[in-house]
């Protein structure tokens, strides 16, 4: 059964099935599959797929795939693939990542990353790993210096 919210403001939605939000604002969403159409949501946790079209959300934890078209979101953690076109995401950790034309992603950590012409990625997997190692070394030096 699909749960549809249209032109509503809701604190949170928790559903065992699919949720479609159309021109709505929701604080948090937990469902199987979630589709945002011209809507905004806070954190989302799904056991299926997430589709965002002309909308946005906060952090996403997803067991399936994430597709963002003309929208954006915060950090994305997905077991499946993540595809962003004409939109953006803060960071992506996924099994596979595709950054399409007109898209921006801050950092991508994935074994397979595809970046099309016209897309921007601030840090890909090797760069993010190097940054993490350098940041860890810096924290270790600061901790060592404080002990003296």
């Amino acid at each position: 059964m699909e749960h549809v919210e249209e032109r509503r403001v809701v604190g949170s939605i928790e559903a065992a099935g699919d949720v479609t939000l159309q021109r709505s604002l929701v604080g948090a969403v937990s469902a199987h599959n979630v589709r945002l159409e011209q809507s905004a949501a806070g954190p989302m946790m799904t056991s299926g797929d997430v589709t965002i079209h002309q909308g946005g959300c906060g952090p996403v934890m997803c067991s399936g795939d994430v597709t963002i078209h003309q929208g954006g979101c915060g950090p994305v953690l997905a077991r499946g693939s993540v595809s962003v076109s004409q939109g953006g995401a803060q960071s992506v950790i996924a099994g596979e990542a595709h950054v399409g034309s007109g898209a921006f992603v801050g950092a991508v950590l994935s074994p397979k990353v595809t970046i099309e012409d016209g897309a921007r990625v601030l840090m890909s997997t090797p760069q993010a790993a190097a940054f993490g190692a350098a940041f860890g070394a810096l924290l270790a030096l600061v901790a060592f210096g404080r002990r003296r």
Side-chain angles (χ1 to χ4, degrees):
M1 183 173 176
E2 183 175 17
H3 182 87
V4 178
E5 290 288 341
E6 187 170 349
R7 296 182 184 208
R8 301 260 332 255
V9 176
V10 180
S12 66
I13 294 176
E14 186 170 351
D18 300 343
V19 171
T20 298
L21 300 172
Q22 299 171 339
R23 295 178 295 282
S24 297
L25 176 62
V26 178
V29 179
S30 177
H32 179 65
N33 294 317
V34 176
R35 179 172 179 80
L36 295 181
E37 297 175 5
Q38 298 177 346
S39 297
M44 292 198 306
M45 187 179 314
T46 70
S47 56
D49 300 333
V50 172
T51 303
I52 300 171
H53 182 253
Q54 296 178 343
C57 67
V60 175
M61 289 182 60
C62 176
S63 295
D65 300 332
V66 177
T67 304
I68 301 170
H69 180 70
Q70 295 180 344
C73 69
V76 178
L77 177 61
R79 183 177 292 164
S81 66
V82 174
S83 176
V84 182
S85 62
Q86 296 180 0
Q90 177 187 357
S91 57
V92 172
I93 300 173
E96 184 177 332
H98 177 82
V99 184
S101 179
F104 174 82
V105 176
V108 177
L109 286 155
S110 174
K112 183 176 180 187
V113 179
T114 306
I115 303 171
E116 289 184 3
D117 289 339
R120 296 199 49 194
V121 174
L122 195 59
M123 285 192 294
S124 63
T125 302
Q127 294 162 333
F131 176 77
F135 189 71
L138 178 66
L139 286 178
L141 287 173
V142 168
F144 180 72
R146 293 186 92 195
R147 288 185 192 170
R148 294 180 133 212

